[in-house]
Amino acid sequence: MSTKSIHTLAVSFIVMFVCIPAALATLTFNDGGIHTIDFAVDEEVEVYDSPTGDPTTVNLVTGSSVEHRLRVFGNSQANVSDGYIKWDLYAYDNSQIMFSGGTIDAGLYGFQNSYIAFSGGMINDLRAYDNSQIDFTGGLIAVDMRAGWYEFGPHTGVITVYGSDFNYPLGDITASFGRLTGTLANGDFIDNDFYIYDNGSIVLVA
């Protein structure tokens, strides 16, 4: 092997070594208790039931920030009334998320049989996958909302939008995509693209 080839291999190895990302640290709550985050967390946050099956609750309030994802599992719950989440907020299994304030730079997503109540604050996008249920009564979506998905199904997720003056009739939206406008139950305006996949539903309720 030539000296040039050896040098090229050495440089490639160094580049590969430098590009390996550091392992993402995780702050885990799994004791069945109630925890309040009013500080900055430079880690991913995960919330689980206790080993004996008791749900754990995490509250994000004024002063909180999560620089990665917040993920909730089992029957546990996250209540977000203020603060900032840089990445996504995920609900899995039978967990619940109550999002009434604050900002998510990315999405608010429901999976499996989870439940989300979205009543205030600002998010990038809203998703109901699997059999998840989302009640949307207030808040701002920067991009779009989607019920179901076109792969990894079946999906029967439902987003129920509460309000008035919608540009679609009350009840199930029969179009598979479009733009929804109107006034939400808390007085906020909605003006967002929507997409409905598989057996997902977006339902309008007065």
Side-chain angles (χ1 to χ4, degrees):
M1 183 179 291
S2 68
T3 303
K4 182 178 179 181
S5 298
I6 294 173
H7 177 73
T8 301
L9 285 173
V11 170
S12 299
F13 176 79
I14 291 170
V15 170
M16 287 174 59
F17 179 78
V18 170
C19 290
I20 295 173
L24 181 62
T26 303
L27 176 61
T28 302
F29 298 95
N30 61 356
D31 61 354
I34 300 173
H35 304 271
T36 297
I37 297 178
D38 58 1
F39 51 89
V41 180
D42 190 21
E43 298 173 299
E44 187 160 287
V45 177
E46 295 186 349
V47 185
Y48 296 90
D49 297 345
S50 73
T52 57
D54 296 317
T56 302
T57 299
V58 169
N59 301 315
L60 269 66
V61 299
T62 301
S64 65
S65 65
V66 176
E67 290 298 316
H68 296 281
R69 295 182 181 90
L70 171 57
R71 304 197 290 179
V72 189
F73 299 87
N75 293 298
S76 292
Q77 181 168 327
N79 302 312
V80 182
S81 60
D82 202 353
Y84 168 75
I85 299 173
K86 183 173 183 179
W87 291 6
D88 307 299
L89 176 49
Y90 292 150
Y92 296 98
D93 304 320
N94 296 298
S95 64
Q96 296 187 24
I97 290 175
M98 307 296 169
F99 192 87
S100 59
T103 301
I104 305 176
D105 271 357
L108 178 56
Y109 300 160
F111 295 91
Q112 284 92 50
N113 296 299
S114 62
Y115 172 74
I116 295 173
F118 177 31
S119 60
M122 183 172 69
I123 65 174
N124 192 66
D125 48 79
L126 185 66
R127 305 280 190 268
Y129 297 117
D130 301 319
N131 191 42
S132 61
Q133 309 290 310
I134 299 177
D135 285 340
F136 180 22
T137 59
L140 175 64
I141 301 174
V143 180
D144 59 40
M145 57 182 176
R146 304 182 183 222
W149 195 236
Y150 58 84
E151 58 184 353
F152 309 121
H155 294 274
T156 57
V158 178
I159 300 175
T160 304
V161 184
Y162 295 83
S164 60
D165 302 322
F166 298 120
N167 61 325
Y168 285 86
L170 296 178
D172 284 40
I173 295 179
T174 57
S176 58
F177 64 92
R179 191 165 187 88
L180 177 64
T181 63
T183 303
L184 298 170
N186 77 336
D188 289 339
F189 295 107
I190 182 171
D191 184 3
N192 291 104
D193 291 334
F194 68 84
Y195 301 88
I196 301 172
Y197 302 98
D198 202 0
N199 292 312
S201 303
I202 296 178
V203 183
L204 306 179
V205 176

